[in-house]
Amino acid sequence: MMRVSRLTLVLVSTTLVLGACRKKPVVAPQTETPPVAQPQQPTRPTTSAPTPRDTMENVRAMVAAARARLLETIYFEYDADELRDDAKSNLDAKILVLNANPGVKIRVAGHCDERGSDEYNIALGRRRAESAKRYLTDRGIDASRIETASFGRERPDVQGTTEEAWSRNRRDAFEIIAGGDQLRAP
């Protein structure tokens, strides 16, 4: 009897061992069933977040606009160094850019038309440049950030002896002399 129980024990243990080592059945992958179409509900317009490319393009455009604003010319009346209203609004826009970019320095160059002596036109060009500088500094821009120069009639913007040509030559031209490579939009 002991022999039968040993044999039974061996058979049962062998069955258990072999049963435990048996591979699990492979389940065939199920194909995905298409989703059930649901009735469309009205969608609300969503604003998508800008892509990095759009953002960089916008930043570049705003920086280009700020640079253009700083370089924009202002004009004067004949034989005058007083700022016109359009020149004041132009300078106000420059103030916004300068305040947003404390490392930027500019040069204001006064110009005149061809009428008058060289000495007179150099002096008038200097007064025009100083007038723009004074306007900017009176509104908080540090004077050390603004250089002035006068070219009198030596660098006309437009050639000619008409009132239209002369009016384009009575001007202050602006140049960025430092910090322009790190310009930020206001």
Side-chain angles (χ1 to χ4, degrees):
M1 186 142 154
M2 192 176 255
R3 201 172 204 189
V4 174
S5 41
R6 275 188 192 174
L7 184 60
T8 307
L9 182 64
V10 169
L11 285 175
V12 170
S13 56
T14 305
T15 306
L16 288 175
V17 169
L18 290 176
C21 292
R22 186 179 344 147
K23 290 185 177 180
K24 297 186 180 191
V26 177
V27 179
Q30 294 183 356
T31 58
E32 201 171 296
T33 59
V36 177
Q38 299 201 2
Q40 288 189 350
Q41 296 180 359
T43 58
R44 285 185 248 156
T46 59
T47 55
S48 61
T51 64
R53 179 177 175 188
D54 291 339
T55 303
M56 280 309 294
E57 286 176 8
N58 290 343
V59 168
R60 286 185 188 119
M62 291 188 315
V63 168
R67 180 179 303 281
R69 178 56 72 185
L70 278 179
L71 299 177
E72 193 172 323
T73 302
I74 63 172
Y75 296 94
F76 293 86
E77 297 298 327
Y78 173 71
D79 197 29
D81 60 13
E82 294 88 27
L83 296 170
R84 301 182 333 190
D85 288 340
D86 61 327
K88 289 177 183 178
S89 62
N90 181 304
L91 291 170
D92 288 336
K94 290 180 193 311
I95 290 169
L96 294 174
V97 177
L98 290 168
N99 282 335
N101 296 279
V104 170
K105 294 184 180 184
I106 61 172
R107 178 179 297 125
V108 184
H111 298 268
C112 301
D113 61 36
E114 63 185 14
R115 298 173 288 180
S117 69
D118 287 342
E119 295 82 19
Y120 181 79
N121 283 334
I122 291 290
L124 180 56
R126 170 123 357 249
R127 289 195 312 270
R128 287 176 174 168
E130 289 295 329
S131 179
K133 180 179 180 175
R134 186 172 37 260
Y135 187 87
L136 295 172
T137 57
D138 286 351
R139 283 151 186 82
I141 303 301
D142 190 343
S144 67
R145 297 176 60 196
I146 306 168
E147 289 183 9
T148 59
S150 176
F151 293 105
R153 63 181 179 181
E154 297 304 314
R155 296 184 182 180
D157 191 36
V158 177
Q159 296 292 329
T161 56
T162 64
E163 182 54 42
E164 185 179 333
W166 290 332
S167 68
R168 295 278 312 241
N169 292 329
R170 297 187 301 258
R171 70 193 192 282
D172 276 346
F174 294 81
E175 178 185 358
I176 300 170
I177 58 174
D181 55 337
Q182 299 168 359
L183 198 62
R184 294 183 320 214

